[in-house]
């Protein structure tokens, strides 16, 4: 309790900072703030600074070159491949994971046999490292002796080099990412569905509403918070994709399946082009920020309407 | 009506069975591959007609999976301790004291969640080299803890706000306890359910981390499971049986933990999402 009358003996008013300190308890978050400041916030702003230099990643010196790296970035055709892929991974996985995750949740929310087994099998990939998951899918999509081609040949088709085909492999990466993380979307939707009172459906049944009408007017609006969380989580996760790409295609052939993360990694470690890597980093941070704010704003507005 | 319901249920059960089988395919292929010897080029869909665990024994030995698991474990455990201690402490004022400063701090954490650590990686690498922490488990602990701090704070503050009654703390304050005493003696023990969620959600992702590990853990004595798997795959691209066996071993610890604690995994994730 902060005193407001002042000290009765000296008549002095208590110092103001003491009151606000006790009110905000700011010292309790100092360790957490220090950690994220040293390892995320400071390096992030330092990255923005490096994006204006020609730093090679290991020298002690670098030159400030203004917007040169940005000019280079926007005239580099690889930037557009990378941005297109990153958006495909982010938005493609978001759409697939939400559609499938909601479908699975609706199915498993009904009283059928084997619910637990189905849920376990769908969720299991979530806990496996995406890198290892990439190698597991390599066994399926490999050109020679991959499971997919084994099946193709059994039915008399020619084997396909899916991972080496630049117009196919970005979609395979979306598929693998969806397979791996659809379990999270499913669980969040299941929790949402279980929070909806059965009374709404009973009332709707009495009014003669069809299953589709009930889904559209009861289920979807009441699931709005779950939708917001899933969409934002999936967009952020998909745009940051790294491990699966490394395991499945290494970003290739050429730069065909490269995402922002894998491209930055190769610029920094294989090509000693750290300044340019930082510039690409600023671009992707900007894209993620815009997309997740848009998604958040759009779906939050829906929630209020519902 | 009764008949129609029964038929619908049968169709839905069939659909669930189909989805289960479809999702199990990658695991099935992993197992058939891991069980086959090097000279066996039969279809990946076929199980071998002999039985050998040779690939598992060789992979365990060659890839040094034992030491990799210890490294992954130490890093995950270290980060978990920091997240639980610092995360819950930070969440308390953010959940309880609605001041301007605290609102700003909360916004800072949201921003960190949205902007990925990716952009920070290049300069962070230089910082890590400069402070001499490259190739130490310590840096992997610190970076992973920093990356999951915002999520942890969200889970904790959501839980404190919605579940812990304020009256308990007020009663303790009247009895003369100070803020830290109240926090550690009264609030912290009540946070067990959300601590379990934090442990489960963050630990899975930290155990599986590859991006930080590949940047900061380049010498082989500190390699984690993911980095070890990466180099083992590159060395054995022509003997996928070994890779499959190594992958199988690598996913075992988390898979066993998941199957044992399934209930908590799912409850933790769901409550975090709904309340956060």
């Amino acid at each position: 309790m902060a005193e407001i009358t002042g000290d009765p003996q000296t008549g002095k008013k208590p110092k103001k900072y003491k009151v606000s300190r006790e009110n905000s308890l700011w010292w309790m978050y100092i360790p957490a703030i220090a950690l994220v400041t040293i390892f995320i916030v400071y390096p992030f702003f330092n990255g923005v600074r490096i994006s204006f230099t020609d730093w090679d990643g290991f020298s002690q010196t670098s030159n400030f070159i203004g917007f040169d790296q940005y000019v280079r970035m926007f005239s580099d055709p690889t930037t557009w491949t990378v941005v297109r892929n990153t958006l495909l991974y982010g938005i493609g996985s978001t759409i697939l994971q939400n559609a499938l995750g909601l479908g699975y949740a609706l199915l498993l929310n009904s009283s059928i046999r084997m619910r637990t087994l189905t849920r376990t099998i769908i969720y299991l990939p979530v806990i496996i490292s995406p890198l290892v998951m990439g190698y597991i899918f390599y066994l399926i999509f490999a050109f020679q002796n991959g499971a997919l081609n084994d099946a193709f040949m059994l039915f008399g088709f020619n084997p396909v080099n899916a991972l080496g085909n630049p117009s196919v492999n970005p979609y395979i990466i979306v598929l693998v990412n969806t397979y791996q993380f659809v379990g999270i979307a499913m669980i969040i939707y299941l929790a949402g569905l279980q929070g909806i009172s059965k009374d709404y459906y009973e009332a709707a049944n009495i009014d003669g509403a069809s299953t589709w009408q009930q889904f559209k007017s009861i289920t979807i609006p009441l699931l709005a918070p779950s939708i917001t969380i899933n969409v934002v989580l999936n967009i952020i996760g998909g745009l940051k994709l790294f491990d699966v790409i490394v395991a499945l295609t290494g970003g290739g052939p050429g730069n065909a399946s490269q995402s922002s993360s894998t491209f930055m990694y190769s610029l920094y470690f294989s090509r000693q082009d750290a300044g340019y890597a930082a510039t690409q980093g600023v671009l992707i941070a900007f894209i993620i920020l815009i997309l997740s704010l848009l998604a958040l704003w759009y779906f939050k507005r829906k929630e209020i309407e519902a | 009506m009764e008949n129609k319901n029964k038929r619908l249920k049968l169709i839905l059960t069939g659909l669930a069975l189909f989805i289960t089988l479809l999702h199990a395919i990658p695991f099935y292929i992993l197992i058939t591959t891991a069980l086959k010897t090097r000279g066996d080029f039969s279809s990946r869909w076929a199980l071998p007609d002999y039985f050998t665990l040779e690939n598992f024994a060789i992979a365990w030995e060659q890839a040094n999976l034992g030491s990799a698991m210890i490294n992954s474990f130490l890093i995950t455990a270290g980060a978990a301790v920091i997240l639980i201690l610092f995360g819950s402490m930070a969440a308390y004022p953010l959940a309880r004291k609605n001041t301007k400063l605290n609102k700003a701090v909360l916004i800072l954490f949201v921003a960190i969640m949205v902007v990925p650590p990716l952009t920070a990686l290049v300069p962070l690498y230089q910082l890590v080299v400069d402070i001499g922490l490259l190739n130490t488990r310590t840096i992997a602990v610190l970076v992973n803890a920093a990356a999951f701090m915002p999520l942890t704070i969200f889970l904790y503050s959501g839980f404190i706000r919605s579940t812990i009654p304020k009256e308990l703390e007020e009663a303790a304050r009247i009895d003369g306890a100070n803020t830290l005493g109240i926090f550690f003696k009264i609030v912290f023990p009540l946070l067990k359910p959300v601590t379990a969620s934090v442990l489960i959600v963050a630990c899975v992702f930290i155990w599986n981390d590859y991006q930080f590990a590949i940047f900061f853990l380049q010498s082989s004595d500190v390699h984690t499971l993911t980095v070890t798997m990466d180099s083992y795959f590159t060395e054995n691209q022509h003997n996928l049986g070994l890779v499959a066996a190594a992958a199988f071993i690598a996913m075992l610890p988390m898979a066993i933990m998941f199957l044992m604690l399934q209930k908590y995994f799912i409850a933790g994730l769901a409550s975090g999402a709904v309340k956060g």
Side-chain angles (χ1 to χ4, degrees), chain B residues 125-231:
Chain B
Y125 183 79
Q126 194 55 39
L127 178 75
V128 169
V129 173
D130 288 346
I131 55 180
L133 285 179
L134 193 68
N135 292 325
T136 61
R137 292 182 204 94
T138 313
I139 193 61
V141 167
L142 293 174
V143 171
N144 276 303
F148 282 94
M149 192 56 83
L151 180 71
T152 305
I153 290 175
F154 270 102
L155 290 175
Y156 273 120
S157 62
F159 188 85
I160 294 171
R161 211 175 289 129
S162 63
T163 318
I164 311 281
K166 253 185 175 165
E167 290 74 20
L168 276 179
E169 297 152 43
E170 277 154 15
R173 190 171 294 277
I174 291 165
D175 290 345
N178 63 11
T179 309
L180 260 178
I182 293 173
F183 179 74
F184 279 110
K185 288 198 190 105
I186 295 170
V187 179
F188 191 75
L190 293 172
L191 297 179
K192 261 184 208 147
V194 68
T195 299
S197 308
V198 169
L199 271 178
I200 282 162
V201 176
C203 287
V204 167
F205 283 99
I206 296 172
W207 176 275
N208 290 334
D209 162 63
Y210 172 68
Q211 201 161 11
F212 293 143
I214 194 79
F215 266 74
F216 301 124
L217 304 173
Q218 292 165 0
S219 81
S220 61
D221 57 321
V222 287
H223 275 180
T224 58
L225 262 178
T226 48
V227 182
T228 300
M229 277 301 302
D230 189 39
S231 48

Side-chain angles (χ1 to χ4, degrees), chain A residues 258-306:
Chain A
Q258 206 89 270
S259 73
S260 280
S261 344
T262 58
F263 187 47
M264 280 178 63
Y265 182 78
S266 71
L267 281 174
Y268 190 63
F269 280 104
S270 323
R271 305 184 206 171
Q272 274 86 45
D273 210 346
Y276 191 40
T279 315
Q280 292 281 348
V282 172
L283 178 68
I284 190 59
F286 191 69
I287 292 175
I288 293 185
L289 189 71
I290 299 287
L291 276 183
S292 35
L293 286 181
L294 271 179
L296 204 63
W297 169 77
Y298 179 78
F299 288 102
K300 275 280 171 203
R301 208 186 45 166
K302 292 259 157 179
E303 271 175 43
I304 294 161
E305 275 174 19

Side-chain angles (χ1 to χ4, degrees), chain A residues 156-260:
Chain A
F157 295 110
N158 288 327
V160 293
N161 188 3
L163 292 175
N165 183 344
S167 55
V168 176
N169 64 15
Y171 297 96
I172 293 179
I173 288 164
V174 171
L175 189 83
V176 176
N177 187 45
T178 303
Y179 167 79
Q180 173 148 33
F181 290 113
V182 67
I184 293 185
M186 174 188 73
I187 294 298
I188 293 174
Y189 281 128
L190 261 175
L193 284 175
Q194 276 154 12
I196 302 177
S197 158
K198 288 207 166 54
D199 299 351
Y200 293 114
Y201 296 104
E202 276 165 23
N205 267 331
I206 292 165
D207 290 344
S210 71
T211 314
W212 170 247
Q213 281 172 328
Q214 293 184 19
F215 178 71
K216 216 180 66 183
S217 323
I218 302 172
T219 312
I220 290 292
L222 289 173
L223 274 185
S226 312
I227 298 176
T228 311
I229 286 171
N230 269 329
V231 168
V232 174
L233 277 181
N234 292 342
I235 285 183
I236 296 175
L239 293 175
K240 285 199 286 189
L241 218 55
F242 181 71
D243 319 22
V244 177
I245 306 167
V246 172
L248 272 177
T249 67
N255 286 317
S257 58
Q258 206 89 270
S259 73
S260 280

Side-chain angles (χ1 to χ4, degrees), chain A residues 114-135:
Chain A
M114 303 192 316
R115 269 198 309 190
T116 318
L117 176 70
T118 309
R119 200 175 68 174
T120 306
I121 295 288
I122 293 173
Y123 191 82
L124 194 60
V126 170
I127 57 145
I128 295 168
S129 116
L131 187 85
V132 170
M133 187 53 80
Y135 293 136

Side-chain angles (χ1 to χ4, degrees), chain A residues 34-107:
Chain A
L35 199 67
V36 298
T37 305
I38 296 171
F39 293 105
I40 298 177
V41 179
Y42 166 71
F44 175 77
F45 286 109
N46 203 11
V48 176
R49 185 188 63 80
I50 292 172
S51 75
F52 292 100
T53 70
D54 62 357
W55 192 42
D56 58 13
F58 53 89
S59 311
Q60 291 305 314
T61 56
S62 63
N63 304 308
F64 179 80
I65 54 169
F67 282 95
D68 284 8
Q69 299 282 25
Y70 286 84
V71 173
R72 180 181 163 200
M73 179 169 73
F74 287 112
S75 52
D76 180 353
T78 309
T79 305
W80 301 113
T81 313
V82 166
V83 167
R84 194 207 61 202
N85 283 343
T86 307
L87 289 177
L88 176 72
Y89 300 149
I91 296 171
S93 327
T94 303
I95 294 171
L96 273 180
Q97 281 178 46
N98 279 281
L100 274 178
L102 181 57
Y104 288 172
L106 288 169
L107 177 68

Side-chain angles (χ1 to χ4, degrees), chain B:
Chain B
M1 194 68 186
E2 185 69 3
N3 251 334
K4 204 180 146 197
N5 262 338
K6 254 190 184 161
R7 214 163 75 200
L8 181 69
K9 220 166 162 179
L10 206 67
I11 293 171
L12 290 180
T13 307
L15 187 62
L17 181 69
F18 174 73
I19 291 168
T20 310
L21 289 177
L22 201 67
H23 276 256
I25 288 174
F27 294 105
Y28 174 77
I29 300 291
L30 179 73
I31 289 167
T32 61
T33 309
L35 288 174
K36 283 181 195 169
T37 55
R38 183 166 193 169
D40 186 338
F41 291 112
S42 59
S43 165
R44 291 228 183 277
W45 298 89
L47 280 163
D49 49 13
Y50 50 90
F51 183 78
T52 172
L53 294 178
E54 198 186 277
N55 284 338
F56 292 92
I58 298 175
W60 173 264
E61 197 64 29
Q62 271 184 358
N64 240 333
L65 289 174
S67 110
M69 259 181 216
I70 293 174
N71 284 331
S72 288
F73 175 80
L74 290 175
I75 290 165
T76 309
V81 170
I82 294 182
L83 282 172
I84 290 170
L85 199 66
F86 292 178
S88 62
M89 260 179 79
Y92 181 65
L94 298 180
R96 280 286 187 258
K97 308 280 181 179
N98 205 11
T99 64
K100 268 187 190 151
L101 178 65
N102 289 356
K103 276 183 201 154
V105 170
L106 211 57
I107 289 171
L108 172 77
F109 281 116
V110 179
I112 293 171
M113 240 162 135
V114 174
V115 176
L118 186 89
T119 315
L121 268 179
V122 173
L124 185 55
Y125 183 79
Q126 194 55 39
L127 178 75
V128 169
V129 173
D130 288 346
I131 55 180
L133 285 179
L134 193 68
N135 292 325
T136 61
R137 292 182 204 94
T138 313
I139 193 61
V141 167
L142 293 174
V143 171
N144 276 303
F148 282 94
M149 192 56 83
L151 180 71
T152 305
I153 290 175
F154 270 102
L155 290 175
Y156 273 120
S157 62
F159 188 85
I160 294 171
R161 211 175 289 129
S162 63
T163 318
I164 311 281
K166 253 185 175 165
E167 290 74 20
L168 276 179
E169 297 152 43
E170 277 154 15
R173 190 171 294 277
I174 291 165
D175 290 345
N178 63 11
T179 309
L180 260 178
I182 293 173
F183 179 74
F184 279 110
K185 288 198 190 105
I186 295 170
V187 179
F188 191 75
L190 293 172
L191 297 179
K192 261 184 208 147
V194 68
T195 299
S197 308
V198 169
L199 271 178
I200 282 162
V201 176
C203 287
V204 167
F205 283 99
I206 296 172
W207 176 275
N208 290 334
D209 162 63
Y210 172 68
Q211 201 161 11
F212 293 143
I214 194 79
F215 266 74
F216 301 124
L217 304 173
Q218 292 165 0
S219 81
S220 61
D221 57 321
V222 287
H223 275 180
T224 58
L225 262 178
T226 48
V227 182
T228 300
M229 277 301 302
D230 189 39
S231 48
Y232 199 61
F233 178 79
T234 318
E235 288 158 24
N236 290 285
Q237 241 169 343
H238 299 289
N239 191 356
L240 290 176
L242 288 178
V243 174
F248 189 87
I249 299 172
M251 63 184 231
L252 265 187
M254 278 288 137
I256 293 171
M257 202 172 101
F258 169 66
L259 294 174
M260 275 168 26
L261 302 172
Q262 208 190 138
K263 208 171 68 186
Y264 304 97
F265 261 83
I266 286 173
L269 189 69
S271 75
V274 174
K275 282 181 194 126

